[in-house]
Each structure stands twice: as structure tokens, then as C-alpha cells.
């Protein structure tokens, strides 16, 4: 099982070292091209923030191309007919269903 399916990874694309004050938990300074991974989704962290300034800074960083989201948590989807939980993945450029976090299991108790 891999925890990467419940983490967010971002990359500094600004071409220089930059401080991203909105990154969880207290802002992060990233070198050019450096990636940073944290638990959860960027959306859930920013929705907890009361500062509109931090949300606006995140949006501005994305719009300018200074920061990109490399990966984020995938949704878990239950198939009641097959009694399994799956996630969405990409294989060779095609959207497909995958086992969540690399672990096949039945959702029944």
C-alpha cells in the first residue's frame, strides 16, 4: 500500500528559489524545480484558511505558472455491484480504474 494516493505534490516552476506562504503547514521555501509533498489536498487545506490573501496567493501562483500541482489525492469510488472500491488512474494516456492506494479489497464488512 502506498500513501501517495492521499498526498499532494507541488513543484516550484518559477526558475528561482521562492517562498510559498500558503503551503501547508506554515509556508515553504522551494528551490527552482523543487517539489514538496504534504498530506491531504491543497483544496482542503486552503478551505480551512480564513485568510483570503493566502487563497489569492495560491491562485496567483498557479495562474502565473510559478507553481504547479504535480499530483493530488484521488477520489475513492464504491462499485456496489462488484462490492469493491476503486480510484481513477491514467495508464498510457488513457483514463482507467485502479485499486486505491495500490491495494485491492472488498468494501464489505
Amino acid at each position: 500500500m502506498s500513501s501517495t494516493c492521499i498526498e499532494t505534490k507541488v513543484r516550484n516552476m518559477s526558475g528561482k528559489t521562492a517562498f510559498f506562504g500558503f503551503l501547508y503547514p506554515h509556508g515553504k521555501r522551494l528551490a527552482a524545480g523543487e517539489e514538496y509533498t504534504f498530506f491531504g489536498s491543497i483544496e482542503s487545506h486552503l478551505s480551512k484558511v480564513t485568510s483570503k490573501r493566502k487563497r489569492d496567493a495560491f491562485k496567483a501562483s498557479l495562474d502565473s505558472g510559478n507553481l504547479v500541482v504535480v499530483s493530488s489525492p484521488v477520489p475513492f469510488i464504491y462499485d456496489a455491484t462488484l462490492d469493491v472500491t476503486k480510484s481513477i488512474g491514467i495508464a498510457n494516456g488513457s483514463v482507467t480504474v485502479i485499486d486505491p492506494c495500490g491495494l485491492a479489497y472488498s468494501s464489505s464488512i
Side-chain angles (χ1 to χ4, degrees), residues 22-61:
F22 50 81
L23 286 178
Y24 180 79
H26 303 292
K28 290 290 175 185
R29 183 171 306 283
L30 302 177
E34 183 178 2
E35 293 181 344
Y36 173 64
T37 303
F38 59 91
F39 179 80
S41 72
I42 189 86
E43 297 90 349
S44 66
H45 291 294
L46 289 176
S47 68
K48 296 175 190 174
V49 174
T50 57
S51 171
K52 182 178 181 312
R53 181 179 53 82
K54 286 188 177 185
R55 287 190 301 273
D56 290 346
F58 171 62
K59 183 178 180 305
S61 291

Side-chain angles (χ1 to χ4, degrees), residues 72-106:
S72 63
V74 296
F76 288 52
I77 305 164
Y78 177 65
D79 181 334
T81 303
L82 298 177
D83 188 33
V84 294
T85 299
K86 295 289 184 179
S87 290
I88 299 170
I90 298 178
N92 199 25
S94 297
V95 176
T96 184
V97 292
I98 59 173
D99 293 326
C101 301
L103 182 63
Y105 63 92
S106 170

